[in-house]
Amino acid sequence: STQSTWESQHMTEPTHQAKRARSTPADELSSGDPPHAASTAHMLVVEEETAPLPLQQQQQQQPKRASPALRFEVLAQCPVNKARLSKLTLPHITCETPIFMPVGTQGTVKGLTTQQLEDLDCSVILGNTFHLALRPTAPVVEALGGLHRFVNWQRGMLTDSGGFQMVSLLDLAEITEEGVHFRSPHDGTQMLLTPEHSIHLQNQIGADIIMALDDVVSSQTTGPRVEEAMHRTLRWIDRCIAAHRNPLRQNLFGIVQGGLDGSLRAVCLEGLIARDLPGYAIGGLSGGESKDEFWRIVSQCTSALPRDKPRYLMGVGYPVDLVVCVALGVDMFDCVYPTRTARFSTALVPEGTITLQKKCFAHDVRPLSATCACMVCRNYTRAYLHQLVCVCLALVVVCGTVLVNI
C-alpha cells in the first residue's frame, strides 16, 4: 500500500518530482537572516556571514529532531528581505514554496474537480476537521481509505484542527480548559472538541499536515482573554503531541497565538520552538486589524521561528498580503477568499479584479487575462462569462474558480 511504502522509505524517495530548482542548493546558503526591507526583489543567494551570528540564529542552527514525514530545504534567500524559495517534501507531494493552498472545507474545492486542481499545479489543499467530523464523520473517511482516497486527491493535504470555529461559530461554542463545547450548526447536537479528540479525528482523516488545537480569539480582542488563550494554546500543544499516533505519516504543526501583543507572541514562540515541531503556523490574524499591526506580528514571528522549518500564515489570501508576507518570510498560505470571490462573479487577474456582472463586459470579446494560459482564458470571452453570471451560475463557478487559483 501507499502508506506502508511511505513508512519503509522514511522520506528517502519523494512520490512526486519537484520542479527544477532555480537557484543554489541549500547547503551553499548562509544561515543568517538577511536584513528586512519592503522590496520584493528576485530570489538570490545570500553571501556567507563572516561576523558572529546573534544568539537566536545560533540556536536555530543547532541540530533538530527531523520529522520522518517532512523534509524542508531552503534553496535560495532574497538579499534584501526575508523572502525565500524552498522545497517541501510531504508523504504525497514534493513542491516548492511559497505556496497558496486552496480551501476545501468538506474535502473539495467548490466548483473544481481534483483533476482540474492538478492541471492548475495545486500542491496542497485544505480540509476542515470540525466540518468533516460532522459530515460524513471521521470514521467514515477512515473506513473509505482516508481523505486522499475518499476525494481522489493524491497530492498534499492539510487539515485544520477546528479551532477557527471558536471565532467563526462563537455563538455556538463554549471554551473551557477541557476543550470546546460546540453545538452543531446542522442539527444542534452537542460536540466536545478536546485537543486529544481533534488529533484523533485528524489521524483518522489522514492529511499530510495536521494542526494542533489552539485557543483562538479575534485579533481585535484585547485584555486578559488574549493572554489566557495564548497560555492555553501552549498547554494544549502538549496534549496534542501526546495524542498524536501517526508521526511517521502526518506532521503536527503548532500555532503561534498572542493577538497583537508582541510580548505574548514572544512567549508563545519560545514555548512552541522548544517543542521542536515539524512546522509552525501563525494564527489569530487577518481579523480586521490594521495592515501595519498585521505585518508587524508576521515579521516578528518569521524572525523568531526556525529557519529550517516551514512557516504557515493561516487564513491570509488577499493578493497584497501574499506579496508582503512572502517578503516577510512566510512559506505557506491558505484562505477562502479566491474561490469565494470567484463564486460571487469576481475574477482575480494580474491587473486587479474584474466584476463580471458589469454591463461593460456584455460585448467584450477579450479573455479575462491575455497573459494567462488556463482553461478559462484559452476558451472563453468576458462577454460569455458575463452572460453566465447574469443567466446561469453553474459554469461560471468552475470558470471563476479556475482563474483565481492559477
Side-chain angles (χ1 to χ4, degrees):
S1 67
T2 302
Q3 290 185 341
S4 61
T5 301
W6 166 253
E7 291 178 2
S8 65
Q9 290 179 337
H10 284 247
M11 299 296 292
T12 57
E13 296 181 11
T15 56
H16 289 267
Q17 286 290 331
K19 300 174 186 176
R20 184 180 300 275
R22 297 188 295 271
S23 54
T24 303
D27 57 5
E28 297 181 21
L29 297 179
S30 166
S31 60
D33 283 336
H36 171 65
S39 169
T40 54
H42 295 294
M43 307 291 286
L44 297 172
V45 176
V46 180
E47 295 294 330
E48 280 294 334
E49 296 282 354
T50 56
L53 294 172
L55 176 61
Q56 183 183 59
Q57 294 183 18
Q58 293 178 28
Q59 292 172 342
Q60 291 181 6
Q61 281 193 334
Q62 293 175 359
K64 301 294 180 70
R65 184 175 65 251
S67 168
L70 181 149
R71 277 206 310 266
F72 186 76
E73 179 185 5
V74 177
L75 302 175
Q77 180 94 44
C78 179
V80 294
N81 59 45
K82 292 185 284 187
R84 58 194 195 163
L85 172 71
S86 304
K87 183 169 72 172
L88 173 66
T89 301
L90 299 170
H92 290 86
I93 188 72
T94 294
C95 60
E96 289 181 353
T97 65
I99 57 170
F100 180 83
M101 304 176 290
V103 176
T105 300
Q106 303 279 4
T108 179
V109 177
K110 291 180 181 178
L112 289 180
T113 66
T114 53
Q115 183 58 55
Q116 287 171 317
L117 288 169
E118 286 193 28
D119 292 343
L120 294 168
D121 201 23
C122 176
S123 299
V124 182
I125 62 174
L126 266 69
N128 184 278
T129 299
F130 174 79
H131 291 288
L132 289 169
L134 293 175
R135 296 187 308 194
T137 76
V140 169
V141 173
E142 182 181 36
L144 294 173
L147 192 57
H148 285 90
R149 183 173 296 178
F150 183 59
V151 304
N152 189 32
W153 176 250
Q154 300 308 314
R155 297 190 177 190
M157 191 163 282
L158 181 153
T159 45
D160 187 12
S161 64
F164 178 70
Q165 276 62 49
M166 296 181 200
V167 175
S168 64
L169 299 177
L170 185 59
D171 293 340
L172 303 176
E174 178 187 359
I175 305 162
T176 67
E177 188 64 28
E178 183 181 14
V180 190
H181 297 262
F182 284 109
R183 183 160 44 89
S184 169
H186 303 301
D187 58 13
T189 57
Q190 295 293 319
M191 173 185 180
L192 173 61
L193 187 66
T194 66
E196 293 83 3
H197 189 44
S198 174
I199 297 302
H200 175 67
L201 293 171
Q202 292 183 82
N203 285 163
Q204 289 180 306
I205 293 168
D208 301 84
I209 297 173
I210 64 177
M211 303 305 300
L213 184 66
D214 54 338
D215 189 351
V216 185
V217 296
S218 167
S219 60
Q220 304 208 45
T221 301
T222 58
R225 177 70 183 99
V226 181
E227 184 173 6
E228 175 192 45
M230 184 276 293
H231 286 296
R232 181 172 289 145
T233 293
L234 287 178
R235 292 193 295 271
W236 281 2
I237 187 63
D238 291 324
R239 293 168 60 183
C240 291
I241 293 171
H244 186 22
R245 293 292 177 262
N246 294 328
L248 294 180
R249 299 190 301 272
Q250 295 179 284
N251 299 282
L252 174 62
F253 279 27
I255 305 173
V256 181
Q257 292 292 348
L260 301 178
D261 188 323
S263 61
L264 295 181
R265 290 277 176 174
V267 172
C268 197
L269 283 161
E270 182 179 7
L272 291 176
I273 293 170
R275 287 157 174 85
D276 193 18
L277 299 164
Y280 299 91
I282 304 167
L285 294 174
S286 196
E289 71 277 6
S290 71
K291 293 296 187 185
D292 286 343
E293 291 174 312
F294 168 44
W295 293 333
R296 172 178 58 82
I297 294 298
V298 172
S299 184
Q300 176 190 358
C301 293
T302 57
S303 293
L305 288 171
R307 182 180 181 274
D308 61 346
K309 303 288 182 74
R311 307 161 182 163
Y312 164 32
L313 181 56
M314 306 181 76
V316 171
Y318 289 119
V320 65
D321 291 335
L322 297 180
V323 173
V324 172
C325 292
V326 164
L328 294 177
V330 175
D331 304 302
M332 305 165 65
F333 302 86
D334 84 280
C335 191
V336 299
Y337 169 71
T339 47
R340 180 174 292 172
T341 296
R343 296 197 301 275
F344 286 94
S345 309
T346 297
L348 306 183
V349 296
E351 296 77 21
T353 61
I354 294 178
T355 304
L356 291 164
Q357 290 175 321
K358 292 183 177 180
K359 291 183 179 180
C360 62
F361 298 118
H363 303 285
D364 193 333
V365 297
R366 293 175 296 170
L368 281 171
S369 175
T371 60
C372 177
C374 79
M375 178 269 290
V376 178
C377 293
R378 289 198 317 268
N379 297 292
Y380 301 105
T381 65
R382 297 182 183 188
Y384 177 65
L385 296 175
H386 169 80
Q387 173 71 4
L388 290 180
V389 169
C390 296
V391 178
C392 172
L393 289 177
L395 183 57
V396 79
V397 168
V398 174
C399 292
T401 303
V402 167
L403 184 72
V404 299
N405 275 289
I406 58 174

